[in-house]
Amino acid sequence: MSDLHWNDISPYAVPLGISALLGVLAWALFAWLAHRARGKDYRRARITSMLSPPLALLLPLLFLRVGLDSTPLKDAQLALLKLSLYVGVVGCVTWLAVRVVNGIVASILREHPIEVADNLAARQIHTQTRVLGRVATGLVIVLGASMVLLQFDGVRQLGRTLLASAGILGLVAGIAAKPVFGNLIAGLQIALSQPIRIDDVVIVEGEWGRVEEITSAFVVVHIWDQRRMVVPLNWFIENPFQNWTRREADMLGTVFLWLDYRTPMAQVRAETERVCRSDPRWDGRVCIAQVTETSETAMQVRLLVSARNSGDAFDLRCVVRERVLDFLAREHPYALPRQRNELTREHTPPDTPQIVPSVHQTVSPSPEDGPPSVASPDLPAG
């Protein structure tokens, strides 16, 4: 009986047992390699940490798949087990491919750090690598899910139905998936043309911030006051915005002051240059003081300074504004604008008496007057 019993189970136990043993050994090997590589930062350790987890599951499933072919299982039972292992194998391969893509992206980003002064080329590479890496990851996941779903008869039948009514369903699906495909295409456009990059300084909807993250659907802008603005990808393709670091990070900063007309501009220029030279944020390119506008009561003075980036430019503007105003208030207080008002008292003239012309007053003759009478000379008495 024991021989008969063993003969009954040996066609199943031997191949499956060997497959299970090989699978356990493979799993133990890769688990040991992953444990050794944990916490280490050289390239071989990173590659081992990346590949070990999915391979520790993939190889046992492949061994079991080979062992099933050596068993006398019936077609229905064998097909069900093979389908289950197929789903597991595809899942492990998809997982492995995603980790490989992420590992390549991490390696490229690691070789091009952006924590340097001149990081324009690095930011370009970071933007392209991140966007294309996410697109590749999405395609790998979609491909893996499709390979699994196509193994089921119901899904295949649904595929035939969709193909039969491709016109209407394609139109409906296109309308429904417009935002998804729009963002996907916008992501590819941003990766290739790069209107924005990681760590770019941008003005979006009137807000100043830096591009912190670019995903496959949206962009995260880190606002200066620690807020995060989440903007859809296609917004950057369809709307105008300001990019302060598109070509270079150097910036010009302006300070506008309204001063009195008596302001000594030569001393204002000298003080502005002194402040710039004493501040390490000034890059040595531009330091100008100019009168740019006038009004009835004051003149507008523009102080123009330069810095290596927008953050330094803003801080330098504030320092120049404060110190120049302090200099004027201390040395030339009359230069600060003031409102001049003149107060006068209105004098009411006294009552003017009526002037009556005297008989001896010379007046102009009128037409009604006759010729002037001539006084007769006194005749002698006769």
Side-chain angles (χ1 to χ4, degrees):
M1 293 293 294
S2 61
D3 292 340
L4 181 60
H5 180 68
W6 174 249
N7 290 334
D8 290 338
I9 65 173
S10 60
Y12 302 96
V14 173
L16 293 179
I18 295 175
S19 300
L21 178 61
L22 293 176
V24 170
L25 292 176
W27 177 84
L29 174 63
F30 284 107
W32 175 73
L33 292 175
H35 178 73
R36 285 195 57 188
R38 186 175 302 144
K40 298 180 181 178
D41 198 29
Y42 54 90
R43 178 172 298 180
R44 187 175 8 175
R46 291 194 297 266
I47 294 176
T48 302
S49 299
M50 175 182 63
L51 299 180
S52 294
L55 288 178
L57 294 178
L58 176 61
L59 290 181
L61 294 178
L62 291 177
F63 289 140
L64 287 176
R65 177 69 172 79
V66 174
L68 282 176
D69 291 335
S70 303
T71 60
L73 288 173
K74 296 181 180 180
D75 293 340
Q77 297 171 341
L78 184 61
L80 180 60
L81 291 175
K82 283 185 175 181
L83 179 59
S84 301
L85 290 176
Y86 176 82
V87 172
V89 169
V90 172
C92 290
V93 172
T94 303
W95 183 20
L96 177 62
V98 169
R99 290 179 68 90
V100 169
V101 171
N102 293 336
I104 294 174
V105 169
S107 176
I108 295 175
L109 299 183
R110 190 180 298 107
E111 293 176 359
H112 299 84
I114 60 175
E115 295 82 11
V116 294
D118 186 9
N119 60 359
L120 178 60
R123 289 190 289 112
Q124 292 176 345
I125 295 175
H126 272 241
T127 302
Q128 290 180 337
T129 303
R130 290 177 185 273
V131 174
L132 295 178
R134 288 189 176 94
V135 172
T137 300
L139 293 177
V140 167
I141 294 175
V142 170
L143 180 60
S146 301
M147 293 178 64
V148 171
L149 293 176
L150 289 177
Q151 299 300 313
F152 298 92
D153 295 335
V155 176
R156 285 200 299 269
Q157 183 62 34
L158 178 61
R160 297 189 187 98
T161 306
L162 291 177
L163 291 176
S165 57
I168 298 176
L169 290 179
L171 180 61
V172 173
I175 296 174
K178 181 177 179 294
V180 177
F181 289 110
N183 283 326
L184 178 61
I185 295 174
L188 293 176
Q189 287 179 311
I190 289 176
L192 297 177
S193 60
Q194 292 195 344
I196 56 173
R197 294 177 295 267
I198 298 295
D199 205 40
D200 266 346
V201 176
V202 294
I203 304 294
V204 178
E205 298 289 342
E207 297 284 358
W208 183 98
R210 293 182 179 273
V211 177
E212 184 179 57
E213 185 180 1
I214 301 178
T215 69
S216 58
F218 55 83
V219 176
V220 178
V221 180
H222 187 181
I223 308 300
W224 65 274
D225 57 359
Q226 305 301 316
R227 291 177 294 150
R228 263 71 174 179
M229 178 182 290
V230 180
V231 187
L233 275 176
N234 54 6
W235 189 93
F236 288 93
I237 303 299
E238 299 173 355
N239 297 279
F241 63 95
Q242 296 183 38
N243 188 337
W244 288 10
T245 54
R246 178 71 177 88
R247 294 297 182 189
E248 55 188 12
D250 298 345
M251 290 290 298
L252 293 179
T254 55
V255 175
F256 290 100
L257 302 175
W258 283 98
L259 303 176
D260 192 85
Y261 279 108
R262 296 176 296 173
T263 301
M265 286 303 301
Q267 298 186 32
V268 171
R269 292 188 180 94
E271 180 65 15
T272 303
E273 293 178 1
R274 188 192 67 79
V275 173
C276 287
R277 291 194 184 96
S278 64
D279 198 299
R281 287 165 292 204
W282 184 53
D283 62 0
R285 293 186 300 122
V286 179
C287 183
I288 300 174
Q290 298 172 317
V291 177
T292 55
E293 187 59 73
T294 57
S295 68
E296 295 84 356
T297 59
M299 63 180 181
Q300 185 188 69
V301 177
R302 183 185 69 176
L303 310 179
L304 190 64
V305 296
S306 61
R308 296 175 182 84
N309 53 65
S310 58
D312 287 351
F314 180 83
D315 293 337
L316 182 60
R317 287 169 54 201
C318 295
V319 170
V320 169
R321 183 184 295 110
E322 293 172 4
R323 295 186 180 178
V324 170
L325 286 177
D326 178 71
F327 166 76
L328 292 175
R330 185 179 65 255
E331 302 292 338
H332 306 282
Y334 58 85
L336 300 179
R338 61 187 64 190
Q339 188 72 31
R340 295 181 176 88
N341 296 320
E342 182 178 357
L343 301 178
T344 59
R345 177 178 298 175
E346 183 179 358
H347 297 283
T348 304
D351 295 338
T352 304
Q354 186 176 4
I355 301 176
V356 180
S358 65
V359 294
H360 300 289
Q361 183 178 2
T362 302
V363 295
S364 299
S366 62
E368 289 80 5
D369 296 336
S373 59
V374 179
S376 298
D378 294 337
L379 296 177

